[in-house]
DNA sequence: CTGTTAGCGCTTTCAT
DNA sequence: ATGAAAGCGCTAACAG
């Protein structure tokens, strides 16, 4: 019946005409917050008509008028890095439930691209920004926040505590890993630390330095080596460096899973088996690491939740009267996941254990 | 100097005032396509001023006027599924280079959510849609295309060839896998087929049926079992089913990597080692499958390129005079990646091989 | 309770 | 080559 080949979009005016009222009446009836201003019967009719005509608000007109787009910009280093999709998914779920959508951009870790993306997003009038790509020093981001644009960093944070954030409890994650290793009898534990320009890398390394002494671990400088990026290649390089330095260790704490994957590969290339010869731990519990050989002992972060909380918090910031909020900082708990890549020192199998003081036999 | 705490956004009018010309002149000077209408010197001044004042076009106003948003909607089943991020990344790269951005939505395979998302996106006036979530029968999608909204499916397609698509050469992928298996001496090859409601599942299964006879493989019905979803759990279930049926096979062709991962897990649970007892192949070459034990032999699709081509093609469709295009269908070549999960039947190691007719010894 | 009016910032005829 | 003016669809005073 109503076969319209090239259908023009139906507007408020169309609905108004259909019902025989003024556009503004329709506008009010359609907005739940102002619906009470309208006679219930009329409102009813309007709702019905708008349904029947398949009316949908013109987002551009709404934005132009209200200066709000219900769109938020999400910036990640690279969506292809398995750490980020669950976070993004969490963000989108939170946003969708509140009628917002996300536009996404990748920086590949290039801070100039971050700046460019933020520009693009602002030009599109995003109501807020979620940044997973920040470095600890990020003047541009602080400025955004200062200018009153709702901004929140996720998974990472900037040093400037003026910028809201949702992150994981990094120090606690490292503490758990170390506790686990100590309980397995390890005393010489190396650390492949992540980039110190990122809050994750810095916080995990800080945790390592903070706890290793008190826990009775050797605290040689030579047991720490810094990766320049959170990837497999750097994990391999760092193991090479560790091995070349002649440092002695029975376990390696890696600042994330990808470093750990690289580390295990490099170890095996040098005839050092994991976990028989050296235990290795990761961080993040990204997809598939439970299927690796050996399955990786790691810290599980609540990726989806981190994103979800960030999305929720950002919407709150947006919808609160301007300047009414202080930057919140949410820290989510983590979980230790023990798998096959760690085992008691020189013991035949790698059961989770509180093996009090395992015998330490020389080779 | 120009410290403005709560800075209003600068508009065309601001630039016009600064230069002492009319807004329309500024508008023309700023658009490369109309710049030639303006005296070069004036244009120069305007460009400078707009730079200096940090003018950025108001996307909402532009959209309202032109009915174009430079935004495209991307719908995927779940961004958390490792197959999709590279595709999305490709799409975004293509779009970004043309000044477009993507808004993203997840359906979790629920067709009603797909419909809802498409609604939301249309309400936001997207210029086009890229769908990675379609089933083969999808009346809603055909309708969209018929209504003149540029739509393109990626990775999957709908049966209705009216809808443009960018996909992988599924039949060829299966042919390569079978050729490889045959060269290793396998004659009884099972197939864990994907959901037949999806073009990928259907095309790969069709390839299997098409080639296995001509290649001299056993073509028992009992060697095929259908998964209800592309995930690990279904891979496990299908292997159980295969095993329970008493079917004999020395290899399993899985319709994607996740099915393969599940299949290998289930096999090992039943004391059948891969590749010693049965060879297994996947499809997609998703991240990390090269780190599994055993590393997975699979078909590598050009995920990033699939997305990139789709993005490019969509922009072309959008920017071409309406109704001027026919639905294109791009098919991208694939690549066989041989790893450890396949080996010559009953041979000691799994080198890639044209082992003509390997000896077949009974157990 | 509902209609009138103005205007968000931009592009695009139409004049000049 | 530039200015004037209209209008995209919507919301939000302000009147009645």
């Amino acid at each position: 019946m109503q076969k319209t080949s090239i259908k023009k979009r139906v507007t408020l005016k169309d609905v108004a005409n259909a019902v025989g009222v003024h556009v503004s009446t329709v506008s009010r009836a359609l907005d739940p917050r102002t619906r009470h201003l309208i006679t219930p019967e009329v409102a009813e009719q309007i709702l019905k008509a708008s349904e029947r005509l398949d009316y949908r608000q013109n987002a551009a007109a709404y934005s132009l008028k209200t200066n709000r787009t219900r769109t938020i910009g999400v910036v990640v280093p690279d969506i292809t890095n398995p750490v980020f999709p669950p976070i993004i998914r969490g963000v989108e779920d939170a946003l969708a439930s509140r009628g917002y959508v996300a536009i996404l951009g990748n920086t590949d870790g290039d801070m100039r691209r971050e700046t460019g993306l933020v520009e693009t997003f602002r030009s599109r009038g995003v109501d807020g920004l979620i940044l997973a790509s920040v470095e600890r020093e990020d003047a541009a981001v602080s400025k955004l926040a200062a200018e009153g644009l709702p901004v929140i960093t996720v998974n990472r944070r900037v040093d400037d505590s003026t910028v809201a954030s949702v992150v994981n409890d990094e120090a606690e994650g490292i503490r758990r890993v170390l506790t686990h290793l100590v309980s397995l009898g390890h005393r010489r534990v190396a650390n492949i630390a992540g980039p110190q320009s990122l809050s994750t890398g810095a916080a995990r390394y800080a945790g390592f330095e903070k706890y290793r002494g008190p826990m009775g671990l050797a605290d040689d400088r030579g047991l720490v080596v810094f990766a320049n990026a959170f990837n497999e290649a750097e994990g391999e390089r760092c193991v090479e460096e560790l091995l070349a330095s002649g440092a002695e260790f029975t376990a390696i704490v890696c600042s994330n899973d990808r470093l750990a994957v690289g580390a295990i590969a490099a170890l095996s290339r040098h005839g050092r088996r994991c976990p028989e010869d050296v235990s290795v731990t990761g961080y993040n519990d990204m997809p598939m690491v439970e299927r690796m050989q050996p399955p990786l002992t790691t810290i599980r972060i609540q990726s989806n939740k981190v994103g979800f909380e960030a999305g929720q918090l950002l919407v709150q910031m947006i919808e609160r009267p301007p300047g009414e909020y202080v930057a919140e900082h949410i820290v989510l708990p983590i979980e230790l996941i023990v798998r096959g890549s760690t085992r008691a020192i020189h013991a035949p199998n790698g059961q989770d254990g509180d093996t009090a003081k395992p015998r330490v036999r020389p080779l």
Side-chain angles (χ1 to χ4, degrees), chain A residues 13-317:
Chain A
K13 199 193 317 196
D14 297 324
V15 179
N17 288 342
V19 182
V21 294
H22 194 265
V23 279
S24 60
T25 310
V26 179
S27 175
R28 286 188 271 254
L30 257 28
D31 183 344
R33 286 199 319 269
T34 50
R35 178 136 60 239
H36 65 276
L37 298 172
I38 303 295
T39 319
E41 289 76 44
V42 180
E44 182 76 5
Q45 279 185 68
I46 292 176
L47 259 355
K48 279 227 178 64
S50 90
E51 181 105 358
R52 177 164 43 80
L53 299 181
D54 193 27
Y55 168 79
R56 275 157 303 149
Q57 182 185 61
N58 181 316
Y62 172 88
S63 293
L64 182 55
K65 183 67 194 177
T66 62
N67 234 345
R68 302 182 61 266
T69 55
R70 296 202 209 93
T71 300
I72 75 108
V74 177
V75 182
V76 297
D78 180 11
I79 192 191
T80 265
N81 180 334
V83 183
F84 297 111
I87 296 177
I88 297 171
R89 181 65 205 263
V91 169
E92 284 173 351
D93 289 345
L95 295 181
S97 72
R98 315 289 238 91
Y100 286 72
V101 303
I103 59 184
L104 200 70
N106 303 279
T107 65
D108 288 321
D110 180 342
M111 282 299 119
R112 280 173 326 196
R113 290 192 58 187
E114 183 181 88
T115 311
L117 275 170
V118 168
E119 271 307 289
T120 307
F121 288 173
R122 294 194 69 186
S123 151
R124 283 171 174 271
V126 294
D127 294 339
L129 244 21
I130 295 187
L131 306 177
S133 56
V134 293
E135 298 190 350
R136 288 167 54 201
E137 294 297 343
D138 203 323
V141 170
S142 303
K143 213 179 93 197
L144 285 181
E147 278 175 14
L149 182 68
V151 179
I152 182 166
T153 67
V154 64
N155 196 46
R156 301 178 184 174
R157 60 166 48 154
V158 290
D159 285 347
D160 176 0
S161 67
T162 267
V163 182
S165 68
V166 180
V167 298
N168 311 110
D169 194 342
E170 315 289 2
E172 175 64 10
I174 294 300
R175 199 186 65 76
R176 294 269 183 89
V177 159
L178 291 178
T179 305
H180 167 62
L181 256 16
V182 165
S183 80
L184 293 177
H186 295 277
R187 293 297 176 268
R188 297 198 59 82
V189 175
N191 181 212
I192 298 183
Q196 297 299 295
S197 55
L198 306 180
S199 66
T200 44
R204 289 169 201 166
Y205 171 59
F208 184 79
E209 289 295 355
K210 172 175 176 191
Y211 293 118
R212 66 169 171 169
M215 284 189 182
L217 295 174
D219 62 351
D220 312 18
R221 275 235 131 275
L223 285 173
V224 177
V225 36
F226 293 92
N228 296 315
F230 275 126
N231 61 32
E232 291 81 2
E234 278 294 292
E236 300 194 23
R237 187 189 62 74
C238 289
V239 161
E240 307 280 359
E241 194 173 322
L242 231 29
L243 257 23
S245 78
E248 286 184 35
F249 52 88
T250 62
I252 310 180
V253 169
C254 298
S255 191
N256 88 345
D257 290 343
R258 299 183 64 187
L259 290 171
V261 166
I264 291 172
L267 283 170
S268 110
R269 205 183 317 117
H270 286 267
R272 305 263 224 143
R273 291 159 306 163
C274 170
E276 292 83 350
D277 302 322
V278 17
S279 290
V280 174
T281 65
Y283 207 110
N284 281 346
D285 193 30
M286 69 182 202
M288 294 292 294
V289 294
E290 80 281 11
R291 310 266 179 183
M292 287 179 35
Q293 203 58 6
L296 193 64
T297 292
T298 189
I299 293 295
R300 176 176 295 164
I301 63 173
Q302 303 184 64
S303 315
N304 187 87
K305 190 165 185 193
V306 165
F308 195 88
E309 296 276 339
Q312 271 195 329
L313 186 52
L314 186 69
V315 171
Q316 274 177 34
M317 291 167 70

